[in-house]
Amino acid sequence: MRGDRSFWDPEHETMSIGELRAYQLSRLQQMLQWAYEHCPYYNNVWSAAGIQPTRIDSLEDFSALVPFITKEIIIDAQQRKPPYGGFLSVPTADLARIYVAPGPIHMPFTAEDFEGMAETVAIASWAAGLRPDDIANVTSNYQWVIGGTLGDCGYRKVGCAVVPGGVGNTKMHLEAMQALKVTAIFTFSTFLVQLAETAKQMGLDLGNDLALRVAMIGGELKPKEAITNLEQMYGMHIRETYATADLGMVGFECDGRAGMHHHHHHIVEVLDPVTHQPVPEGNGGEIVVTSLFRKAMPIIRLRTGDVVGFMSHEPCSCGRKTPRLGPIVGRVGDIPRVKGMFIVPKQIENALFSFKGLGRFQMVIDRPKVGDVLTVRIEAAPEVDQAATKPAVIRALREAIRIGAEVEFVPIGTLRESTPLVLDNRTA
Ligand SMILES: [Zn+2]
């Protein structure tokens, strides 16, 4: 019985970084050999590049030699050679689940692969504080995509009773959660906000009428105040996670709440989105992940397109030794580089969160002579005292993005949903 344990998988969660790297290298070598022998896609690409798995002796070799894959590469390969694009590595008889999405992607899993995916959810759920006596509502989509079933099976592994609520119908979610005394919810923060609005219309008091004590939410960068507000409103604690349909839970928060630990069955690299070289400890970059358990369709060095604030190898107060990822701050391509720094729109959004009366914003980048100039155009309501607010906004922005920015207020309604978030006027 694991009920009294702090960790779901104490052996792997508390091994030292050195032990973890050795463990991962050994698993990686097996996975590379498997992909080389059974997966036509990798066999073709690696053979053309002269890569032999038996020659990969270290994680450094792996990073330096093995090419990336991307969602675009998978989609393109599958469109040229349907349905799997040379990625299927087991006989059809060994398949247990096939997902069609997200996007035009076919994703096959063996039963063992899917167990591995569910295990990533179990480890994250245990760290979030879920235990067998919890009743958990899974609000992800159960159709075509993996999200709902994955959350469901992960929670079942932990021993929770699952209410498969799925997406939509907020009123029914609230009624069921109240009647069944649901204690945990697997959701996005936007759905928590929506539930709170509907609860108000129904005359429900979230703190007293619901029994929720923990929520696991998607790892999008949100202001700390927004999370704290939700925690207070519901009278529960919230733990952030970072998951993808290809990999399961890649990162999960513990009670230390100083980043998201990553799962030992994933090799996680954080790379400069432009040079594709590893970033120095503490810096942000694009997350590249290799699954050490997916065999039906091996996922090796997948560029996720997600940019993370940092990766830390420092020990965590919770006792886990697995490295921690910072918050997800955006997508590659939405993040311009100004004066040598990546400027993350979400960081600007968060910096502006506490100012009353401000609306949408737009980043305008110019290069009048040699240096870059970033101007943040921000909608301000008529009651905003612009002269008094401007210096405070400039200070908050400097703190958030680490470079100086000009601020220009514009009337509410000037910037629309269709207005580009980034206007880059620099000519190469
Ligand atoms: Zn921790």
Side-chain angles (χ1 to χ4, degrees):
M1 186 64 203
R2 304 193 198 217
D4 56 347
R5 286 198 194 160
S6 303
F7 308 109
W8 174 254
D9 181 346
E11 183 194 344
H12 294 104
E13 290 182 81
T14 60
M15 57 171 50
S16 70
I17 292 286
E19 288 167 335
L20 178 68
R21 286 174 66 85
Y23 169 79
Q24 290 192 322
L25 177 62
S26 137
R27 292 282 306 258
L28 175 67
Q29 285 167 328
Q30 292 167 33
M31 180 49 81
L32 293 176
Q33 195 60 37
W34 171 269
Y36 190 66
E37 286 172 10
H38 298 92
C39 183
Y41 172 83
Y42 291 108
N43 186 287
N44 289 340
V45 172
W46 296 350
S47 298
I51 294 166
Q52 284 190 9
T54 46
R55 300 230 181 110
I56 306 280
D57 293 327
S58 66
L59 295 176
E60 288 73 19
D61 274 2
F62 171 63
S63 295
L65 297 174
V66 175
F68 300 115
I69 56 167
T70 60
K71 276 273 163 59
E72 291 72 26
I73 286 177
I74 299 172
I75 291 171
D76 181 56
Q78 294 193 342
Q79 280 175 349
R80 278 190 288 115
K81 210 174 162 207
Y84 299 111
F87 278 93
L88 184 66
S89 311
V90 297
T92 312
D94 290 351
L95 293 180
R97 292 179 181 275
I98 304 167
Y99 292 96
V100 186
I105 288 189
H106 302 126
M107 293 208 302
F109 293 84
T110 65
E112 209 178 313
D113 290 350
F114 195 80
E115 270 299 296
M117 295 288 277
E119 181 72 13
T120 66
V121 176
I123 200 170
S125 311
W126 199 264
L130 272 84
R131 294 296 181 267
D133 56 358
D134 278 304
I135 300 175
N137 178 13
V138 175
T139 71
S140 313
N141 193 354
Y142 276 79
Q143 288 179 312
W144 302 111
V145 297
I146 196 168
T149 313
L150 180 59
D152 194 307
C153 294
Y155 279 179
R156 283 298 307 126
K157 249 174 138 46
V158 165
C160 306
V162 172
V163 180
V167 291
N169 208 341
T170 46
K171 192 162 174 273
M172 194 162 157
H173 273 279
L174 287 162
E175 285 165 354
M177 288 198 289
Q178 185 182 18
L180 301 171
K181 297 189 169 39
V182 165
T183 54
I185 185 165
F186 182 79
T187 189
F188 286 105
S189 62
T190 45
F191 193 58
L192 287 180
V193 173
Q194 209 178 315
L195 282 172
E197 281 164 11
T198 307
K200 207 170 168 190
Q201 291 161 12
M202 291 165 67
L204 281 179
D205 173 354
L206 291 171
N208 289 318
D209 295 334
L210 297 186
L212 282 172
R213 60 173 203 85
V214 54
M216 286 171 71
I217 63 169
E220 179 203 358
L221 183 66
K222 283 167 279 299
K224 279 217 160 33
E225 297 93 323
I227 300 285
T228 311
N229 284 349
L230 283 170
E231 287 184 316
Q232 285 168 351
M233 205 189 292
Y234 280 86
M236 65 178 178
H237 70 263
I238 294 179
R239 292 291 176 268
E240 294 190 60
T241 61
Y242 168 59
T244 82
D246 326 84
L247 302 151
M249 289 279 180
V250 177
F252 56 91
E253 265 192 332
C254 60
D255 290 343
R257 301 189 82 175
M260 297 181 281
H261 287 277
H262 67 65
H263 194 280
H264 54 277
H265 283 167
H266 292 133
I267 292 182
V268 178
E269 301 168 75
V270 177
L271 305 181
D272 183 307
V274 178
T275 65
H276 301 153
Q277 294 302 307
V279 297
E281 170 88 17
N283 283 28
E286 182 178 3
I287 307 178
V288 174
V289 189
T290 298
S291 164
L292 296 175
F293 61 82
R294 273 193 67 180
K295 282 192 161 170
M297 178 173 172
I299 297 292
I300 296 172
R301 299 201 85 207
L302 173 70
R303 284 182 55 187
T304 60
D306 292 319
V307 176
V308 73
F310 64 85
M311 179 149 87
S312 167
H313 290 81
E314 292 295 312
C316 180
S317 58
C318 72
R320 286 177 187 81
K321 298 210 175 75
T322 39
R324 278 165 292 143
L325 293 168
I328 306 303
V329 294
R331 297 278 304 163
V332 171
D334 296 339
I335 300 180
R337 198 198 285 249
V338 181
K339 297 181 187 173
M341 300 288 288
F342 292 111
I343 306 300
V344 176
K346 271 279 174 192
Q347 286 174 322
I348 294 185
E349 192 182 318
N350 290 355
L352 300 180
F353 181 77
S354 56
F355 291 94
K356 295 266 176 292
L358 301 185
R360 295 179 192 276
F361 68 91
Q362 182 186 40
M363 299 156 67
V364 183
I365 309 161
D366 294 290
R367 189 176 284 159
K369 286 184 186 131
V370 282
D372 296 337
V373 175
L374 169 65
T375 306
V376 184
R377 302 174 72 202
I378 307 167
E379 289 183 338
E383 67 270 21
V384 172
D385 178 349
Q386 297 191 3
T389 308
K390 197 179 230 183
V393 170
I394 289 174
R395 265 198 309 278
L397 287 175
R398 177 177 277 283
E399 232 164 75
I401 60 179
R402 294 194 277 168
I403 61 165
E406 313 271 336
V407 165
E408 180 193 329
F409 289 117
V410 295
I412 295 277
T414 310
L415 304 173
R416 300 177 182 275
E417 200 157 349
S418 54
T419 308
L421 191 55
V422 180
L423 200 60
D424 196 339
N425 296 326
R426 294 173 295 189
T427 44

